[in-house]
Amino acid sequence: MIKNYLTLLKLRVVELLIVTTIPAMFLAAKGFPDLKIALATVIGGTLAAGSANAFNMAIESDRDRLMTRTASRPTAQQVISKKNSYIFATVVGIISLAIFQIFTNTLATLLTLFAIVFYVIGYTIILKPNTSQNIVWGGIAGCMPVLIGWAAIENKISLTTILFFLVVFFWTPPHFWALAIKHKSDYVAADFPMLPLVAKHKSVVFQLWFHSIGMSLVSLFLIFQAQLPTWCAVVTLILVVVWKKDLLNVSKELDTTMASKLFQSSIVFLSVYSLILVIGALQITNG
């Protein structure tokens, strides 16, 4: 039973959120952040994302049963009732907010609360089932860890963290649209209007490139804004080239194999880029 409740947290998805939280803290601290605050932010952020995911699973349990990818979830299988899922999600969310308030500051706590509420109500309930632009605006919730991590250290928001927020904002749609292409039959069965399912090929390709170019430009701008070493920009350019190569293949045909490669390259981009920011922040600190 414990394993089923842990499944509600979708910890594998949470990993990507933590990947952006950590460099935000390093950039804010201009080096190693305070260990106590950093640990509290990572733990609190994990629980906050887990709470939002548990709400999401409870709300979408009926649709999840229609999708091969999600049919085995404990809420879809009714191993855990909706009521118990809601109770669990609420308790985990409250614990998360308490951790942020006790160990960080009010700004980080309020940003975390916004992230949970926006993901549950804004994305899951309103946007996801009703518009093909669901992940464009719903993805804001997934960008929030950047602001939360920075606020936990600095107790304010800066241009640097806004740029990092925008990197994740532009990164999110191509990442999830690649997943939608890969699992097209699932989203059709569940009647989710994901863009690659409802828009013309030309429109999908245009929007993929629009967000990809935006991500590329902002990711480089962030490095110069944060005054990170030149090698950070060089490595970022290499990551962008790899991304564009896979995007070109998807642009020719919305093929599941090519979409899988784009999905994986998007994960590699965000993970390596985040590592670059951490190392760059440490390097400028140590002179």
Side-chain angles (χ1 to χ4, degrees), residues 238-253:
I238 294 172
L239 291 173
V240 166
V241 170
V242 174
W243 172 290
K244 295 297 185 293
K245 174 178 171 292
D246 289 329
L247 185 55
L248 273 172
N249 291 329
V250 171
S251 299
K252 296 173 185 175
E253 183 179 355

Side-chain angles (χ1 to χ4, degrees), residues 29-51:
K30 296 180 175 59
F32 280 103
D34 180 276
L35 183 59
K36 183 179 72 173
I37 295 176
L39 284 174
T41 302
V42 169
I43 294 171
T46 298
L47 293 177
S51 169

